[in-house]
Amino acid sequence: MEAIMMPVAVLGITGVLMGLFLAYASKKFEVEVDPKVEAILAILPGVNCGACGYPGCSGYASGVALEGAKMTLCAPGGPKVAAKIGDIMGVAVEMPIKKKPAAKKPEVKKEVPKAQTGEPISASQEFIEKNKRMLMKFKEAFDAGDKEGFEKLENLAKMAKKDELLKYYEEIKAGKIVPDPETMGNVVAAVKVEAISASKEFVEKNKRMLMKFKEAFDAGDKEGFEKLENLAKMAKKDELLKYYEEIKAGKIVPDPETMGNVVAAVKVEAISASKEFVEKNKRMLMKFKEAFDAGDKEGFEKLENLAKMAKKDELLKYYEEIKAGKTVPDPATMTDTPVAKEEAPKAEVKASDSQKQEASYCSILGDGLCVPEQNEKVKEDLKKQAEPPKTAEELEREKQAASYCSVLGDGLCVPEENEQIVKQNLHQEIDKEIK
């Protein structure tokens, strides 16, 4: 029995002692709770929703009592709970009044700025197309009174040496507008631009060089257009240099296709040759003109020497007219106007000499305008007629004419049949000399 009672007694005494210790500890280490916290916690709904921003209602009660949190944060309790919390805290609570959203004001549509009227700047359509963005930016900055903005654009143009652009900036400052390039024909009708005085043919041949020069000059690329001028000087292209100067003076390069209207005032005189002569010698005349216009001195002097060797005085005369700036007309558009002929020399020219010249026409001139049937007939007539003997110098000249292709080397070869005619004539002359 003792064995059972002793453990029970020990456990009972131990339990009493522990209870006394806990009672003492609870009193000794007791944490005082603000009665306001308990009072606020008692009136809160107790849903622990967290809408107030605290972890549950006890946290919100402590926040209000100890931390000074707003008393109107309990959404489920509403104004009634807020008023009670105010009574506990001894403060009058005013619930915030929710303002109705202000009615939206009707949007006022901005008026589209009307097209500006006034005198346009004097720039060409091509220049405005290239520099429209810069011109418009400058105008906008100037109209807005943005001094820093438009002065910055002016400084950039000065650094790039864009003198023409600076000129139009000054015009914009004077109140002029920047026209639309697409409708520029109507807007800047008063601005008349003169074209260079070159012929249509010259513009067609040199359009690329002229346009490159104009683009470089308009862009203020001094190095570019001076390089083109030096090239023209080296090649002795005086006519091209002349038109470069005209471009510098503000003239434009016209389109050859519409050049009849653009440069109608430029009238070019034609050479005084007859229609028949131009038809026969058109190829040689055109070759001479091309060589002369291109500044190919060696080429046109070679053609002059050939004409002198063949004693083509009339052809030489027209070469001089071409040098004087006259053109070679199209035989198709020429009228059969009588051309004043020079007085024939008093010395009679024998029929045989003219026929001989006609027969050797293709081989001497080499312009491809041959009439085989007629030459055959002339050849038969020559056989029947007696001719005076030729000198050694004349025979040598005819030999050179017969070998025209090899001497000149420009591809203008003598037809075989005409070459044979000349050779036969030479043989006949040699036989006569021997007899």
Side-chain angles (χ1 to χ4, degrees):
M1 189 69 180
E2 287 182 5
I4 295 170
M5 291 301 292
M6 281 301 290
V8 172
V10 172
L11 288 171
I13 293 167
T14 304
V16 172
L17 291 172
M18 290 298 292
L20 291 170
F21 176 75
L22 290 172
Y24 173 75
S26 65
K27 291 291 182 183
K28 184 70 176 173
F29 301 105
E30 182 182 7
V31 177
E32 292 182 2
V33 178
D34 192 333
K36 291 180 181 179
V37 175
E38 291 182 353
I40 292 168
L41 184 61
I43 62 170
L44 289 173
V47 293
N48 297 319
C49 64
C52 57
Y54 289 89
C57 293
S58 59
Y60 178 57
S62 299
V64 172
L66 304 174
E67 297 174 7
K70 287 184 179 181
M71 293 174 281
T72 58
L73 299 179
C74 183
K80 290 181 180 180
V81 170
K84 288 179 181 180
I85 293 171
D87 292 340
I88 293 167
M89 296 298 294
V91 179
V93 179
E94 292 182 4
M95 290 298 291
I97 300 167
K98 291 182 179 180
K99 293 180 180 180
K100 292 181 180 180
K104 291 183 179 179
K105 294 180 180 179
E107 292 182 1
V108 180
K109 292 182 179 180
K110 293 181 179 179
E111 292 183 4
V112 179
K114 295 179 181 179
Q116 291 182 325
T117 57
E119 188 184 352
I121 59 174
S122 59
S124 65
Q125 184 175 355
E126 187 181 356
F127 184 88
I128 292 176
E129 283 174 351
K130 286 182 181 176
N131 300 277
K132 187 179 179 184
R133 186 167 163 270
M134 295 299 288
L135 291 166
M136 290 304 296
K137 280 188 74 172
F138 185 87
K139 179 157 180 62
E140 287 167 11
F142 184 75
D143 290 345
D146 181 7
K147 191 176 180 182
E148 185 181 352
F150 70 76
E151 282 185 351
K152 187 178 179 181
L153 290 169
E154 281 183 314
N155 292 332
L156 283 170
K158 286 174 184 176
M159 286 170 65
K161 295 180 180 178
K162 301 276 187 179
D163 298 327
E164 194 172 6
L165 192 61
L166 285 166
K167 170 190 168 185
Y168 300 127
Y169 282 169
E170 291 301 320
E171 289 187 12
I172 290 168
K173 282 184 179 180
K176 294 186 179 182
I177 63 167
V178 180
D180 185 1
E182 293 178 6
T183 59
M184 200 167 166
N186 301 323
V187 177
V188 287
V191 181
K192 189 178 179 182
V193 185
E194 190 180 352
I196 59 173
S197 59
S199 65
K200 182 177 180 180
E201 187 181 355
F202 185 87
V203 174
E204 283 175 346
K205 285 182 182 176
N206 300 277
K207 187 178 179 183
R208 185 167 164 271
M209 294 300 288
L210 291 166
M211 290 305 295
K212 280 188 74 172
F213 184 87
K214 180 159 177 61
E215 286 168 12
F217 184 75
D218 289 345
D221 182 7
K222 191 175 180 182
E223 185 181 352
F225 69 76
E226 282 185 351
K227 187 177 179 181
L228 291 169
E229 281 183 315
N230 292 332
L231 284 170
K233 285 174 184 175
M234 287 169 65
K236 295 181 180 179
K237 301 275 186 177
D238 298 326
E239 194 172 6
L240 192 62
L241 285 166
K242 170 191 168 186
Y243 299 127
Y244 283 169
E245 291 301 320
E246 290 187 12
I247 290 168
K248 282 184 178 181
K251 294 186 179 182
I252 62 166
V253 180
D255 184 1
E257 293 178 6
T258 59
M259 201 166 166
N261 301 323
V262 178
V263 287
V266 181
K267 189 178 179 181
V268 184
E269 190 179 351
I271 59 174
S272 59
S274 66
K275 181 178 179 180
E276 186 182 355
F277 185 88
V278 174
E279 283 175 347
K280 285 183 180 178
N281 299 278
K282 185 180 178 183
R283 190 155 173 268
M284 293 303 288
L285 291 166
M286 289 305 296
K287 275 181 74 73
F288 184 87
K289 179 159 179 60
E290 286 168 12
F292 184 75
D293 289 344
D296 182 7
K297 191 175 181 182
E298 185 181 352
F300 70 76
E301 282 184 352
K302 190 181 281 188
L303 291 169
E304 281 183 315
N305 292 332
L306 282 169
K308 285 174 184 176
M309 286 170 64
K311 295 183 178 179
K312 298 283 183 179
D313 299 326
E314 193 173 6
L315 190 61
L316 285 166
K317 171 192 169 186
Y318 299 128
Y319 282 170
E320 291 301 321
E321 289 187 11
I322 290 169
K323 282 183 178 181
K326 295 185 179 181
T327 61
V328 180
D330 184 3
T333 58
M334 283 179 77
T335 55
D336 295 327
T337 52
V339 181
K341 295 182 180 179
E342 295 180 2
E343 289 184 6
K346 292 180 180 180
E348 292 183 359
V349 180
K350 294 183 179 179
S352 58
D353 292 338
S354 61
Q355 288 176 344
K356 191 186 298 181
Q357 189 178 10
E358 185 179 3
S360 59
Y361 173 79
C362 292
S363 59
I364 290 173
L365 194 56
D367 61 355
L369 301 173
C370 300
V371 189
E373 292 177 4
Q374 186 179 353
N375 289 327
E376 289 294 331
K377 186 180 177 183
V378 172
K379 187 173 82 171
E380 290 175 6
D381 293 342
L382 287 170
K383 287 179 181 179
K384 295 175 183 178
Q385 294 175 3
E387 295 180 353
K390 291 185 179 180
T391 62
E393 187 182 347
E394 288 175 343
L395 291 171
E396 183 62 28
R397 191 180 293 119
E398 287 195 4
K399 283 180 186 178
Q400 286 181 359
S403 58
Y404 174 79
C405 290
S406 59
V407 171
L408 192 56
D410 61 352
L412 302 174
C413 297
V414 183
E416 292 178 5
E417 56 189 355
N418 293 315
E419 189 174 356
Q420 288 173 1
I421 292 168
V422 176
K423 285 179 179 178
Q424 286 174 5
N425 291 338
L426 290 172
H427 286 307
Q428 287 176 7
E429 294 298 330
I430 291 164
D431 290 339
K432 286 177 183 178
E433 287 290 330
I434 293 167
K435 289 176 181 179

